[in-house]
Amino acid sequence: MGDVTPANQDQPSKSRPSKPSLPQGTRDFGPDVVQKRNFIFNTIRSVFELHGFQPLETPAMENLETLLGKYGEEGDKLIFKILNNGLGDPKNIDKARAAFENVLQGKNDRNLTERALKYDLTIPFARYVAMNHGRLAFPFRRYQVQPVWRADRPQRGRYREFYQCDADIVGSRSLLNEVELALVYSEVFRRLGIDVEIRINSRRILSALADVSGGQHLMIPLTVAIDKLDKIGHAGVAEEMQKLGIDANRSEQILQFISSTRTSVDASDDSLQFLGGSSQAAAGLEELRYVLSMLANTEAKNDVVVDFSLARGLNYYTGIIFEVRAENVQIGSIGGGGRYDDLTGLFGVPDLPGVGISFGVDRIYDVMEEMNLFPEAVHHGTMVLFFNLGDTEARTAFDFVRGLRKRGIASEIYHEASKLDKQFKYAEKKGIPYVVIIGSRELENKTCNVKNIISGDQKEVAFDELYNQFI
Amino acid sequence: MGDVTPANQDQPSKSRPSKPSLPQGTRDFGPDVVQKRNFIFNTIRSVFELHGFQPLETPAMENLETLLGKYGEEGDKLIFKILNNGLGDPKNIDKARAAFENVLQGKNDRNLTERALKYDLTIPFARYVAMNHGRLAFPFRRYQVQPVWRADRPQRGRYREFYQCDADIVGSRSLLNEVELALVYSEVFRRLGIDVEIRINSRRILSALADVSGGQHLMIPLTVAIDKLDKIGHAGVAEEMQKLGIDANRSEQILQFISSTRTSVDASDDSLQFLGGSSQAAAGLEELRYVLSMLANTEAKNDVVVDFSLARGLNYYTGIIFEVRAENVQIGSIGGGGRYDDLTGLFGVPDLPGVGISFGVDRIYDVMEEMNLFPEAVHHGTMVLFFNLGDTEARTAFDFVRGLRKRGIASEIYHEASKLDKQFKYAEKKGIPYVVIIGSRELENKTCNVKNIISGDQKEVAFDELYNQFI
């Protein structure tokens, strides 16, 4: 309840007690969950930093004009807008009314709302790079772990406030960057203990498929169709391709081509022949071959496969794309990303290509829970609780509490001399493994009773020996 | 640019490049600042956990009704409200218009805005405790480090989005909790290297001062006057007291009483006699005496002083109050808090007293900058950059990069075979201390050139010896 910049509280509230609740699609994270989430975040952060990525944090609020028009029409509707303050001010009231009518008609008006909550980490990152590009060392490797907000309909696993966790390298066309990001993925999931398949493809291959199917105008609809392979299967995609006017033979070739993953790419492979002399196909295959060759003698080697059916919905991807799936849990992708040509053009800074990846932290959490992968040490709560048996006894116990803390052991003393079973219950409920009892007899003998709550073991320990029980 | 839940990007934006900017009162935190801030946050977090506090995270968004009426009329005006989505929907439009008129008249209406950004960490904490009190172990020690938002006029050192950092113990009236929080303060600032004065007082003393000045109705105005002692001085406060109708003699006694800090509280002290038999005064003095006695043989002993002029603006404080100031930098308080009687009554859960403290992270940051207290090791950026001298050389360099990373050393290889001075500049700009050069000659000799960018020292090192240079 401390507050460094105190608000005026002189008018106490008169509202009656109400049953409090949380906004739909948002969550509280209690101690246990925070610690597990931090285990994931800290693992990812250390791997990012080991690979030369630097942290960036941008505000939750952006100017509305920074965000609008960047996520398509549907995206714009899902942006949480912040109401301007002081709308009731008589000298603004007419402007406010006019602004509100504009907003009702789907337009935006700074006189009603000029700020919004960020919708992803990419646009704020682009805004930051555009504003600071003179000062940054390029290629700029940044990572960012922050919440974003979307006014989506809440449902299982979809929230209105959730963390994104991104790493990007911008200002370079070198494929070494793609290799680095594959290594980051592999190392993070190795450390978390999750077996993964890191699928890669090149958007140039998808472009080549459009070429041999009738032309570039088919690129997006064909990509959308292929993207559904997991959901609607072979026959479903064939049907969608038929609707696009792609002939049955070609459809069959494409489906055969995209239907299995590969660990190497060989241009002489029969299933590639139908791509013929497409320069896009050759370039895409060369990209994939280079990345695989650089990963060949690394630990990532066994995680990475080429999946020609991989499309990734976002149409700003232009080169290699990534998607990560857990081997043993059916939960959809737990990571994804790819190369793009232009990060900051919309903000007036042209020619800044890059490549980035993202971790789906909520799903990673679920995978780790389901597979029981969180290590015991995640819970760094209180280790020792000293019972409180009265003022004199408590003063001695308190000395030991401070002594243990000085040795790095999280410790507490119970706040008052309650009945022992109440104090035991506190230790149990908080998951504290050890309790120490110092009563008047113990005080006299300079000993204490140390009890392991989990095993039930109890022993008498001399004061001199107490610290050694826990270090 | 990775995105696990891709938005629909099929309609590319047609907006023209605009010069991007940040909302007033918000900040980007670049790599250097994030690392320094995290040093502060991590230090505070470890001390919290060592003392048995558990982390809590609540959403940025709360239901508006959770927040309204909790911060006084002025506070309500500073809450950032979030506009409901879908207002333009024809079937809601009349409701929306009516709601907007209500809002213009200073009322609130769920049909326009039902959510808001949190204004502090205390009310969301209270809401959490009220919703979960059956499951928590009381006394509940929670800490919370999260941003809050206030539509204040931005000015130097005052932001619209800033972090608060709170620890509270709720569900106990024991003064041991105040002792614990004083220890937390002392240990945090010891670890940060900031010499501090932790001032304490009891609101009961202020209540006693009101009693001897004319009655309890003077408690708040007298507290407000005393709170200004730093700003308006002895004479200014005397004048304010005169305006409250307090006679000159009594004013003088009070001013003498509050004008100097003390390291002990002795009831026989002359300057206390005018408080006479006030039971509030006796209780307040006893609280202070107990806290000082428990701290007497701890490291906090030399940090804590009693300051009878300490008032803390918030009138929900009822017992011991805290304020922390840096000894060597004039910047106002860098921490504050106190005891309160009722955390959750407004949410229908009565009788939950507690005590809490807060850290002013932005000011702590400024103090540490001014006194040069951030340790070198705060910057855990890339340690070694390998130059890129072509594909063959790069493959060998890349093996070493991965070898160093495996040994915990953050390393990179330059993304392309550019001119050496460009690669040097990258290392300099990013603050990377070592560069390693492997050209064709080095490849042949199985040696490399290791250069320390800071000292300028350069030496030839055999491949076999390379890792040992950095471990």
Side-chain angles (χ1 to χ4, degrees):
Chain A
M1 198 102 158
D3 194 340
V4 175
T5 52
N8 182 341
Q9 287 260 327
D10 292 353
Q11 287 104 356
S13 158
K14 282 175 196 78
S15 52
R16 266 177 301 158
S18 57
K19 211 174 158 63
S21 64
L22 265 179
Q24 262 201 314
T26 70
R27 295 165 286 175
D28 288 323
F29 297 121
D32 178 60
V33 180
V34 171
Q35 290 181 341
K36 286 175 176 170
R37 286 169 61 91
N38 283 346
F39 175 75
I40 297 173
F41 288 138
N42 292 337
T43 301
I44 297 176
R45 279 194 192 105
S46 346
V47 174
F48 284 162
E49 296 194 350
L50 198 58
H51 290 73
F53 289 82
Q54 298 181 303
L56 172 68
E57 291 179 14
T58 65
M61 293 197 287
E62 291 280 348
N63 287 323
L64 188 52
E65 64 210 22
T66 299
L67 304 185
L68 283 177
K70 311 301 191 298
Y71 306 104
E73 233 175 280
E74 279 311 302
D76 276 0
K77 284 187 197 151
L78 301 183
I79 292 172
F80 277 114
K81 300 177 186 90
I82 295 164
L83 204 59
N84 292 358
N85 289 70
L87 289 172
D89 186 339
K91 64 177 191 290
N92 299 333
I93 211 157
D94 290 338
K95 269 191 199 160
R97 281 205 184 94
F100 187 64
E101 288 304 318
N102 279 334
V103 169
L104 288 182
Q105 283 159 44
K107 292 179 222 151
N108 285 288
D109 195 312
R110 293 178 53 89
N111 288 319
L112 188 78
T113 165
E114 43 181 317
R115 288 169 292 259
L117 293 179
K118 64 179 178 239
Y119 179 90
D120 72 358
L121 302 181
T122 302
I123 294 299
F125 171 50
R127 195 248 326 125
Y128 173 82
V129 171
M131 284 173 70
N132 296 279
H133 71 284
R135 272 175 279 169
L136 301 173
F138 287 104
F140 180 43
R141 295 181 176 216
R142 89 84 172 75
Y143 75 86
Q144 197 168 348
V145 183
Q146 291 194 284
V148 301
W149 292 266
R150 294 183 184 182
D152 250 323
R153 186 186 299 275
Q155 58 185 55
R156 208 182 108 76
R158 191 201 279 165
Y159 303 99
R160 287 183 161 171
E161 173 171 340
F162 59 96
Y163 269 72
Q164 287 193 338
C165 178
D166 288 8
D168 287 77
I169 307 174
V170 298
S172 164
R173 291 182 207 281
S174 166
L175 281 168
L176 262 178
N177 299 315
E178 276 84 340
V179 175
E180 287 281 71
L181 292 174
L183 288 177
V184 166
Y185 263 148
S186 172
E187 180 67 12
V188 164
F189 289 112
R190 199 185 59 71
R191 290 189 184 196
L192 292 177
I194 302 177
D195 291 328
V196 293
E197 191 170 70
I198 303 168
R199 302 183 191 179
I200 61 173
N201 191 11
S202 169
R203 296 282 286 213
R204 296 185 209 280
I205 300 289
L206 295 166
S207 172
L209 292 179
D211 278 340
V212 300
S213 301
Q216 276 303 302
H217 64 285
L218 290 176
M219 169 87 180
I220 288 173
L222 182 61
T223 300
V224 169
I226 289 176
D227 216 6
K228 295 187 197 157
L229 184 60
D230 268 3
K231 279 188 206 144
I232 62 178
H234 202 285
V237 177
E239 206 180 304
E240 299 244 332
M241 289 200 280
Q242 199 187 346
K243 279 186 207 152
L244 294 173
I246 302 170
D247 80 49
N249 250 349
R250 190 48 32 121
S251 288
E252 195 42 48
Q253 280 173 321
I254 292 178
L255 278 164
Q256 213 178 319
F257 171 70
I258 65 173
S259 287
S260 56
T261 60
R262 312 155 198 238
T263 52
S264 68
V265 181
D266 185 350
S268 66
D269 185 332
D270 276 354
S271 72
L272 301 185
Q273 299 315 314
F274 79 104
L275 291 171
S278 159
S279 67
Q280 283 285 37
L285 292 174
E286 184 47 38
E287 287 175 345
L288 293 166
R289 213 168 5 232
Y290 176 81
V291 171
L292 290 177
S293 89
M294 289 300 287
L295 293 173
N297 57 353
T298 74
E299 286 95 342
K301 179 187 159 191
N302 296 321
D303 300 333
V304 176
V305 298
V306 173
D307 175 359
F308 289 122
S309 79
L310 180 64
R312 303 293 301 162
L314 302 176
N315 75 352
Y316 52 64
Y317 289 138
T318 52
I320 294 279
I321 47 183
F322 299 92
E323 187 165 286
V324 184
R325 284 171 187 268
E327 292 274 24
N328 306 307
V329 182
Q330 295 297 320
I331 199 169
S333 83
I334 55 176
R339 173 165 287 278
Y340 43 91
D341 275 343
D342 175 19
L343 179 70
T344 50
L346 284 169
F347 297 116
V349 178
D351 298 325
L352 214 55
V355 55
I357 56 173
S358 181
F359 289 82
V361 175
D362 285 309
R363 284 186 181 170
I364 291 171
Y365 184 97
D366 290 344
V367 169
M368 294 193 62
E369 275 291 28
E370 189 168 330
M371 302 195 60
N372 213 1
L373 292 174
F374 287 110
E376 265 304 306
V378 155
H379 300 288
H380 30 85
T382 300
M383 183 75 133
V384 189
L385 175 72
F386 286 76
F387 277 14
N388 189 330
L389 281 84
D391 191 55
T392 316
E393 293 85 349
R395 281 178 190 258
T396 298
F398 197 53
D399 287 340
F400 283 119
V401 167
R402 288 182 299 104
L404 277 176
R405 288 175 182 163
K406 215 173 284 176
R407 289 161 179 82
I409 312 287
S411 313
E412 289 177 51
I413 178 168
Y414 195 71
H415 67 124
E416 61 187 14
S418 307
K419 283 187 186 156
L420 291 198
D421 65 333
K422 204 172 167 190
Q423 305 196 38
F424 263 119
K425 234 172 224 159
Y426 175 79
E428 272 171 10
K429 211 162 179 182
K430 199 165 171 178
I432 301 174
Y434 293 97
V435 301
V436 177
I437 305 168
I438 302 176
S440 54
R441 199 182 58 84
E442 284 85 2
L443 212 51
E444 207 170 296
N445 300 344
K446 296 197 188 311
T447 62
C448 45
N449 243 293
V450 178
K451 181 166 178 165
N452 180 325
I453 287 213
I454 298 149
S455 68
D457 291 349
Q458 188 163 344
K459 58 180 166 177
E460 196 150 319
V461 175
F463 280 0
D464 294 350
E465 284 299 313
L466 184 56
Y467 294 142
N468 294 330
Q469 302 298 308
F470 306 109
I471 310 176
Chain B
M1 199 102 158
D3 194 339
V4 174
T5 51
N8 181 342
Q9 288 260 328
D10 292 351
Q11 286 103 356
S13 159
K14 281 173 196 84
S15 52
R16 265 177 301 159
S18 58
K19 211 175 159 63
S21 64
L22 264 181
Q24 262 200 312
T26 69
R27 297 165 284 176
D28 286 324
F29 298 121
D32 178 58
V33 181
V34 171
Q35 290 180 341
K36 287 175 175 171
R37 285 170 61 90
N38 283 346
F39 176 75
I40 297 173
F41 288 137
N42 292 337
T43 301
I44 297 176
R45 278 194 194 106
S46 349
V47 175
F48 284 161
E49 296 194 349
L50 198 57
H51 290 73
F53 290 83
Q54 298 181 302
L56 171 69
E57 290 178 14
T58 65
M61 293 196 287
E62 291 279 348
N63 286 323
L64 187 51
E65 63 209 24
T66 299
L67 305 185
L68 282 178
K70 311 301 191 299
Y71 306 104
E73 234 175 279
E74 279 312 302
D76 277 0
K77 284 186 197 154
L78 302 183
I79 292 172
F80 277 115
K81 300 177 185 89
I82 296 164
L83 203 59
N84 291 358
N85 290 69
L87 289 172
D89 185 338
K91 66 176 187 292
N92 299 333
I93 211 156
D94 290 336
K95 269 191 200 162
R97 280 203 185 95
F100 187 64
E101 287 304 317
N102 279 335
V103 169
L104 288 182
Q105 283 158 46
K107 292 179 223 151
N108 286 286
D109 196 312
R110 292 177 54 88
N111 288 318
L112 187 78
T113 164
E114 44 181 315
R115 286 169 292 259
L117 293 178
K118 66 177 175 237
Y119 178 90
D120 73 358
L121 303 181
T122 301
I123 294 300
F125 171 50
R127 196 250 324 126
Y128 173 82
V129 171
M131 284 173 70
N132 297 277
H133 71 283
R135 269 174 281 169
L136 301 173
F138 287 104
F140 180 43
R141 296 181 176 217
R142 89 85 172 74
Y143 74 87
Q144 199 169 348
V145 183
Q146 291 194 282
V148 301
W149 292 266
R150 295 184 183 181
D152 250 322
R153 186 186 298 276
Q155 58 184 52
R156 208 182 109 73
R158 191 200 281 164
Y159 303 99
R160 287 183 160 171
E161 173 172 339
F162 59 97
Y163 268 72
Q164 286 192 340
C165 179
D166 288 9
D168 287 77
I169 307 174
V170 298
S172 163
R173 292 182 206 281
S174 166
L175 281 168
L176 262 178
N177 299 315
E178 276 84 340
V179 175
E180 288 281 71
L181 292 174
L183 288 177
V184 166
Y185 263 148
S186 173
E187 180 66 13
V188 164
F189 289 113
R190 199 185 60 71
R191 291 189 184 194
L192 293 177
I194 302 177
D195 291 328
V196 292
E197 192 170 69
I198 302 169
R199 300 182 192 179
I200 62 172
N201 192 12
S202 169
R203 297 282 287 213
R204 295 185 209 279
I205 301 288
L206 295 165
S207 172
L209 291 179
D211 277 340
V212 299
S213 301
Q216 275 304 302
H217 64 286
L218 290 175
M219 169 87 181
I220 288 173
L222 182 62
T223 301
V224 169
I226 289 176
D227 216 8
K228 295 187 197 157
L229 185 62
D230 268 4
K231 279 188 205 143
I232 63 178
H234 202 284
V237 177
E239 206 180 303
E240 301 243 332
M241 289 201 278
Q242 200 189 344
K243 278 185 207 153
L244 294 174
I246 302 170
D247 80 48
N249 251 348
R250 190 50 29 120
S251 288
E252 196 41 50
Q253 279 173 322
I254 292 177
L255 279 164
Q256 214 179 318
F257 171 69
I258 66 173
S259 287
S260 56
T261 60
R262 309 152 201 239
T263 53
S264 68
V265 180
D266 185 348
S268 66
D269 185 331
D270 278 353
S271 72
L272 301 186
Q273 298 315 314
F274 79 104
L275 291 171
S278 159
S279 66
Q280 285 283 36
L285 292 174
E286 185 46 38
E287 287 175 346
L288 294 167
R289 216 172 358 237
Y290 176 81
V291 170
L292 290 177
S293 89
M294 288 300 287
L295 294 172
N297 57 353
T298 73
E299 287 96 342
K301 179 187 157 188
N302 296 320
D303 299 334
V304 177
V305 298
V306 173
D307 176 358
F308 289 122
S309 79
L310 180 63
R312 301 294 300 163
L314 303 177
N315 75 352
Y316 51 66
Y317 289 139
T318 53
I320 294 280
I321 48 182
F322 299 92
E323 188 166 286
V324 184
R325 284 170 187 269
E327 292 273 24
N328 306 307
V329 182
Q330 295 297 320
I331 198 169
S333 83
I334 55 176
R339 174 166 286 280
Y340 44 90
D341 275 342
D342 175 18
L343 179 70
T344 50
L346 285 169
F347 297 117
V349 178
D351 298 323
L352 214 58
V355 54
I357 56 173
S358 180
F359 289 83
V361 175
D362 285 309
R363 285 186 180 168
I364 291 171
Y365 184 97
D366 291 345
V367 169
M368 294 194 62
E369 274 291 29
E370 190 168 329
M371 302 196 60
N372 214 1
L373 293 174
F374 286 110
E376 266 303 307
V378 156
H379 300 288
H380 29 88
T382 301
M383 184 75 134
V384 189
L385 175 71
F386 285 76
F387 277 15
N388 188 329
L389 280 85
D391 191 55
T392 317
E393 293 85 349
R395 282 178 189 257
T396 297
F398 198 53
D399 287 340
F400 283 119
V401 167
R402 288 182 300 103
L404 277 175
R405 287 174 182 165
K406 214 173 284 175
R407 289 161 178 80
I409 312 285
S411 313
E412 292 177 48
I413 178 168
Y414 196 72
H415 68 124
E416 61 187 13
S418 306
K419 282 185 185 160
L420 290 197
D421 65 334
K422 204 171 166 190
Q423 304 196 38
F424 264 118
K425 235 173 222 159
Y426 174 79
E428 272 170 10
K429 212 163 177 179
K430 200 165 170 177
I432 301 174
Y434 293 97
V435 302
V436 176
I437 304 168
I438 301 175
S440 55
R441 198 181 58 86
E442 285 84 2
L443 212 50
E444 208 168 295
N445 300 342
K446 296 197 188 314
T447 63
C448 47
N449 243 292
V450 178
K451 181 165 178 165
N452 179 326
I453 286 212
I454 297 150
S455 68
D457 292 350
Q458 189 163 342
K459 58 179 168 179
E460 196 150 320
V461 174
F463 279 179
D464 294 348
E465 285 300 311
L466 184 57
Y467 294 142
N468 293 330
Q469 303 298 307
F470 305 108
I471 309 176

